[in-house]
Amino acid sequence: MIDIHSHILYGLDDGAQNAEDTLNMAKQAVENGIHTIVATPHHLDGTYTNPPEVIRERTAAVEQLLAEHQIPLRIVPGMEIHIHGEVVEELKQDQLLTVNQQQRHILLELPHDHLPRYVDQLIFQIQLAGFVPIIPHPERNKEISADLNLLYRLVKRGAMSQLTAASVAGKFGKNLQKISLEMIKHNLVHFIATDAHNTGSRGAVLAEAYQVINQKVGTEYTKMYQHFAEDLLKGRDCDVPPPIRLRKKLFGIF
Ligand SMILES: [Fe+2]
């Protein structure tokens, strides 16, 4: 499996703190069935600043570390870009990393508590500049989880989205799992990824998430997500199914 969102690079953010943490996360990922990870350190989230050259260098160092320890895991560079007004300019000037440096997809992190009003316009401008924004963990944004049609609107306008595997697997509770499955059923999701920060509460549970999807939604979704992850690594556009608007709010869970 491919994991498109992970904080496995040590010493850059609130993920792995040292080389030992990275090695332990890598071993856990391999045990979970993951063969390739897009390393996505936080960038410009108000706490961490990790420009492309820093991430490229640390990716290379970690690849060497994994080779020395004979861990069969490929790491490619990426970045979790916190939403800000200069995203388009910085993309054009190569100041941000795209997924696997394919100059096509970016991970664009939203605030957790609300949806900024300029999101629609920014997403439009990002696409106009030739890039595709992927919104990580939309299920954890308070406004979106209360009204999934906000995500429908963004997807309809060309954004993609990625659920956290632990949300799907039920590790963050039944409500978040239910919201995640509704997003999947309405074609509002295109990737499942670990967003791993450690080997404990925020570890790699991608296989568990796919199992839940197989049982509760259908194996065709698991296959589609894995296919899209392969497309992503190559910078290819994904053949996404049309999003479905929700007719009613999810009752009883808010
Ligand atoms: Fe993340």
Side-chain angles (χ1 to χ4, degrees), residues 62-75:
V62 165
E63 277 208 297
Q64 198 178 343
L65 184 72
L66 296 179
E68 282 164 12
H69 288 78
Q70 295 172 333
I71 298 172
L73 182 65
R74 180 180 165 223
I75 310 278

Side-chain angles (χ1 to χ4, degrees), residues 5 7 42 80 195:
H5 183 166
H7 299 266
H42 290 289
E80 183 168 12
D195 193 9

Side-chain angles (χ1 to χ4, degrees), residues 66-202:
L66 296 179
E68 282 164 12
H69 288 78
Q70 295 172 333
I71 298 172
L73 182 65
R74 180 180 165 223
I75 310 278
V76 302
M79 180 185 265
E80 183 168 12
I81 303 161
H82 196 81
I83 191 165
H84 60 286
E86 290 78 46
V87 168
V88 175
E89 278 312 304
E90 291 177 8
L91 273 171
K92 286 178 181 169
Q93 292 168 11
D94 284 335
Q95 291 170 2
L96 300 173
L97 273 186
T98 55
V99 175
N100 197 20
Q101 304 187 92
Q102 297 295 301
Q103 297 302 107
R104 187 63 179 149
H105 301 86
I106 59 167
L107 269 195
L108 185 71
E109 188 188 28
L110 302 176
H112 287 298
D113 53 348
H114 73 291
L115 201 57
R117 290 184 193 281
Y118 69 96
V119 166
D120 286 42
Q121 183 64 14
L122 181 63
I123 283 176
F124 178 68
Q125 285 171 348
I126 288 171
Q127 292 178 90
L128 213 57
F131 300 91
V132 180
I134 300 171
I135 297 163
H137 40 68
E139 79 280 16
R140 293 171 58 199
N141 176 280
K142 284 201 184 116
E143 277 195 56
I144 290 178
S145 63
D147 181 4
L148 302 193
N149 279 330
L150 292 176
L151 181 60
Y152 167 84
R153 199 179 75 202
L154 299 179
V155 172
K156 187 85 179 157
R157 292 178 182 207
M160 300 182 84
S161 88
Q162 167 253 306
L163 286 172
T164 299
S167 303
V168 180
K171 306 280 182 193
F172 296 150
K174 284 278 170 211
N175 284 355
L176 217 47
Q177 185 182 43
K178 184 171 180 183
I179 291 166
S180 301
L181 293 173
E182 286 300 313
M183 287 178 172
I184 291 171
K185 288 173 189 168
H186 289 82
N187 295 339
L188 304 179
V189 168
H190 311 94
F191 306 96
I192 314 292
T194 67
D195 193 9
H197 283 65
N198 52 47
T199 53
S201 59
R202 301 189 74 180

Side-chain angles (χ1 to χ4, degrees), residues 14 19 21 28 36 44 54-55 65 69 74 100 115 117 121 123 135 141 196 205 211 229 234 236 248:
D14 55 343
D21 288 349
Q28 188 187 58
T36 303
L44 300 178
V54 169
I55 296 176
L65 184 72
H69 288 78
R74 180 180 165 223
N100 197 20
L115 201 57
R117 290 184 193 281
Q121 183 64 14
I123 283 176
I135 297 163
N141 176 280
V205 289
Q211 251 169 32
K234 298 195 166 107
R236 284 192 306 235
K248 55 177 183 175

